[in-house]
Amino acid sequence: MFGAARTVQKSGANLQFVRTKRIRAGLDPVAQRVVTQLSVISANRKMPKMLKLSKEDFVKHVTVMRAWGVVRKEKKQAEEAQLKQQYESIKEANEDLKHVSQKLFEAANKLEIGKRFPLELRVPTEYPSRSGWFYDYTPRKL
Amino acid sequence: MSVSKGVWSKFVKRSPTLALRNKALRTALLSPDLPSGPVSLKSKASKRKYQSIEGLDQIYPLAYEVLEKRSEDIYSKIESLDKNSPTYAEQKEELEIAAEKFNPEVVYMAEYMKNSLDRTQPVFRHYLKKTWEGYSKMLLMQRLETLAVIPDTLPTLEPKVEVKLKFPHNNQDRWIEPGTLLSSNVTKMPPSLEVIEFKESTGDLYTVLMVDPDTPDLAQDSYSTTLLWGVKDVKLSNTDSMIDAKKLMQNEDCEFVEYLPPVCEKNTGKHRIAFWVFRQDGPLENAPKGLRREFFKIRQFVEDNKLTPVGAHVIRTLWDRNTENVRKMYGLPEGRVFTRERVPYLKN
């Protein structure tokens, strides 16, 4: 019913006789669909939106970042200093041992090529691991 | 409630120019949140819909405290410096920069109020230098090299100061970018220069030379350098860095070669006009008033006077329909017209 009514109006006197196909504004629907699909997967969509900050908030943000940098740097420097101190004391102990007993010193610093840590041994790390212990581990039977 | 409890809110030993003048802005930067909204936003609508970062009000006071504490430590280090050491001034300036570099008020001013910074403060000079090195310095060197001002006028340049240039041809107050092509109407009056020092400077003497290395020299079938303007013994400091008409009127001995606008002859192409700024050791002696402009040997002049080139600028001009008017203004004869082919009877 509606279709018929529309056809009547289209063929009415207010429509001009058109020799060729009318060119409408914008892309044709097929091309438009392709463009939409491409824009959805484009890199532009995946970028997080830029923060719009007022000037004072931007300066505050920068201040916080810098303070964080300073704190982290100080912590890192303290850690490095401690490690260095540990290394120095190991070295000093070794020097002492060398003076006291050459034999013991050589035994302590013997090269053991091919010797490995057993697989079951937890690797020494500075911090505990996130997952903790691997409880289901069963040693391979030879 | 102010987040500052230490050195950054005390102005007994520190300069008051390190604090923001605008009270609303200052309270915004010195309080955890924004007590009277975002002051820097202009329109009411954007003020109303503005949302600050979540959690910033809690972490900002902590960050401020950390940085202020660090600054306090650095200030106490300055106190304990050995004043008789030869590197005392250098060390002190370095530490003063480090102490104020992260102060939010200073950061705000250095970022958004670049035109009104107090250049007697080492921090602000540090920030100005960083901005200059980031763009203008590189641009200047690129223009000097591509236009071959280096080495056509002087062998090379290691820029130490920022040189800004403008002409008083209209009411617009605009600095000229190096390498711009200007009409003779613009260059008809002497320019004003701003020489921005990044070191501490109190009354250093400067020389400015304006030369045109593209004057045709028919006898040699080449080009020669013409001195268009020579200014010497200009006293500049961190607070007063302009070389303009006012200053030259006050000290008439400064201008040893009066300003002559670049009036290019027809068909001689684009002329490079180079401005060189030199730092002087002492008062200039080998620069007599009314020095000969034509066939100016700039390298010889620099060597004779023991000048150190610290800055430069370059513009370009060419013949245009107004050039003859400028020539008349300065009482110069009509310019020659060059043709594509050198015709003998036109030589005279």
Side-chain angles (χ1 to χ4, degrees):
Chain A
M1 197 179 94
F2 287 112
R6 227 182 262 165
T7 324
V8 170
Q9 222 179 23
K10 256 193 176 176
S11 61
N14 56 349
L15 257 187
Q16 293 282 317
F17 174 71
V18 183
R19 221 182 271 272
T20 52
K21 208 178 168 187
R22 259 201 301 175
I23 300 165
R24 288 173 196 192
L27 295 166
D28 66 299
V30 182
Q32 186 55 56
R33 199 156 59 233
V34 173
V35 168
T36 315
Q37 281 170 358
L38 279 176
S39 73
V40 165
I41 59 167
S42 78
N44 212 6
R45 281 293 171 93
K46 293 187 185 74
M47 287 248 287
K49 260 191 186 172
M50 212 171 100
L51 285 176
K52 278 180 189 156
L53 295 179
S54 66
K55 289 175 180 174
E56 49 271 40
D57 265 355
F58 176 70
V59 170
K60 282 183 178 182
H61 165 74
V62 168
T63 307
V64 170
M65 296 304 281
R66 278 173 178 167
W68 173 237
V70 164
V71 167
R72 220 170 34 165
K73 197 175 160 191
E74 276 171 5
K75 202 178 161 193
K76 185 100 187 157
Q77 278 172 347
E79 266 173 21
E80 268 169 18
Q82 197 196 350
L83 280 177
K84 200 176 175 188
Q85 212 180 350
Q86 282 175 357
Y87 174 78
E88 290 297 330
S89 65
I90 291 171
K91 205 175 160 187
E92 206 177 308
N94 261 312
E95 290 294 319
D96 275 356
L97 189 61
K98 202 176 176 182
H99 285 298
V100 173
S101 153
Q102 185 70 25
K103 203 174 143 194
L104 282 178
F105 174 76
E106 273 166 21
N109 289 295
K110 210 173 97 185
L111 268 181
E112 291 165 326
I113 294 164
K115 193 176 177 188
R116 296 269 188 275
F117 283 108
L119 268 181
E120 296 90 325
L121 187 79
R122 194 175 167 280
V123 179
T125 51
E126 270 189 59
Y127 303 99
S129 76
R130 275 177 199 281
S131 56
W133 188 252
F134 186 45
Y135 290 100
D136 301 334
Y137 177 76
T138 44
R140 202 159 43 142
K141 282 186 182 107
L142 297 169
Chain B
M1 187 194 74
S2 171
V3 289
S4 176
K5 291 173 191 81
V7 67
W8 282 345
S9 52
K10 287 171 193 151
F11 296 96
V12 183
K13 286 178 185 171
R14 294 164 69 245
S15 162
T17 48
L18 292 169
L20 268 169
R21 280 250 193 90
N22 187 332
K23 264 188 189 159
L25 267 177
R26 186 146 194 267
T27 38
L29 279 178
L30 288 182
S31 40
D33 51 351
L34 304 174
S36 47
V39 185
S40 62
L41 293 186
K42 287 281 172 288
S43 80
K44 257 187 185 173
S46 51
K47 266 188 185 179
R48 209 180 303 121
K49 75 176 178 193
Y50 181 75
Q51 275 188 327
S52 193
I53 317 174
E54 211 176 303
L56 185 68
D57 53 339
Q58 284 153 35
I59 199 143
Y60 178 65
L62 301 176
Y64 194 98
E65 201 185 319
V66 167
L67 294 178
E68 199 175 35
K69 178 83 207 340
R70 185 176 162 275
S71 166
E72 245 158 62
D73 293 347
I74 297 172
Y75 270 118
S76 60
K77 215 184 273 176
I78 295 175
E79 297 280 307
S80 64
L81 276 181
D82 175 22
K83 281 182 188 163
N84 301 321
S85 146
T87 55
Y88 172 69
E90 257 174 61
Q91 281 178 331
K92 194 184 164 209
E93 184 159 329
E94 221 166 83
L95 288 176
E96 274 175 352
I97 290 171
E100 291 294 335
K101 206 162 65 168
F102 295 156
N103 184 351
E105 288 174 74
V106 169
V107 173
Y108 189 94
M109 282 189 271
E111 183 74 29
Y112 302 113
M113 297 156 77
K114 287 196 178 90
N115 291 333
S116 55
L117 292 180
D118 175 20
R119 283 192 221 123
T120 54
Q121 293 305 312
V123 222
F124 290 136
R125 288 204 300 269
H126 162 81
Y127 274 114
L128 282 174
K129 192 179 181 188
K130 260 176 67 180
T131 17
W132 171 64
E133 281 172 344
Y135 183 73
S136 310
K137 185 186 173 189
M138 288 192 278
L139 184 88
L140 172 73
M141 285 316 279
Q142 189 251 340
R143 298 290 153 90
L144 290 180
E145 281 170 12
T146 49
L147 292 173
V149 174
I150 294 169
D152 282 2
T153 48
L154 284 178
T156 189
L157 170 72
E158 210 180 293
K160 296 279 192 317
V161 298
E162 182 174 6
V163 179
K164 288 175 162 184
L165 177 81
K166 71 181 168 197
F167 282 95
H169 67 292
N170 59 11
N171 288 333
Q172 279 174 22
D173 206 22
R174 189 193 286 166
W175 299 109
I176 289 162
E177 190 179 284
T180 317
L181 195 63
L182 298 177
S183 70
S184 59
N185 184 41
V186 175
T187 58
K188 69 185 176 213
M189 299 301 275
S192 352
L193 289 129
E194 188 170 16
V195 178
I196 300 173
E197 270 286 6
F198 300 113
K199 68 172 182 75
E200 192 179 3
S201 156
T202 44
D204 282 335
L205 294 178
Y206 293 84
T207 296
V208 179
L209 296 179
M210 176 183 174
V211 292
D212 172 10
D214 294 324
T215 317
D217 179 7
L218 290 182
Q220 299 288 324
D221 198 16
S222 176
Y223 297 94
S224 66
T225 304
T226 308
L227 178 63
L228 296 175
W229 194 36
V231 176
K232 65 170 182 176
D233 300 338
V234 189
K235 204 181 249 184
L236 298 179
S237 64
N238 289 136
T239 45
D240 175 24
S241 56
M242 286 297 288
I243 304 177
D244 51 9
K246 192 181 153 201
K247 186 169 263 184
L248 295 179
M249 291 276 270
Q250 283 167 356
N251 320 298
E252 283 184 353
D253 292 337
C254 285
E255 209 173 14
F256 66 94
V257 173
E258 279 185 9
Y259 183 75
L260 182 81
V263 275
C264 310
E265 286 161 322
K266 197 174 178 182
N267 295 337
T268 52
K270 289 168 190 161
H271 288 228
R272 300 160 289 171
I273 310 295
F275 291 84
W276 283 93
V277 177
F278 305 92
R279 219 182 264 153
Q280 295 174 205
D281 280 352
L284 218 61
E285 279 153 12
N286 299 324
K289 214 156 188 158
L291 195 72
R292 196 180 164 217
R293 292 175 193 275
E294 296 81 27
F295 302 103
F296 179 64
K297 301 266 182 295
I298 183 168
R299 291 181 195 222
Q300 191 66 43
F301 182 86
V302 169
E303 200 178 299
D304 288 349
N305 289 298
K306 292 190 194 100
L307 295 171
T308 329
V310 283
H313 203 285
V314 59
I315 57 161
R316 291 181 294 164
T317 55
L318 76 171
W319 181 90
D320 55 32
R321 282 180 295 177
N322 189 46
T323 306
E324 289 307 319
N325 296 341
V326 179
R327 276 178 177 274
K328 266 179 214 156
M329 239 176 86
Y330 280 82
L332 294 166
E334 257 182 43
R336 292 167 294 183
V337 178
F338 288 81
T339 49
R340 204 171 277 271
E341 280 168 41
R342 195 84 57 84
V343 188
Y345 59 82
L346 280 179
K347 238 183 176 178
N348 311 324

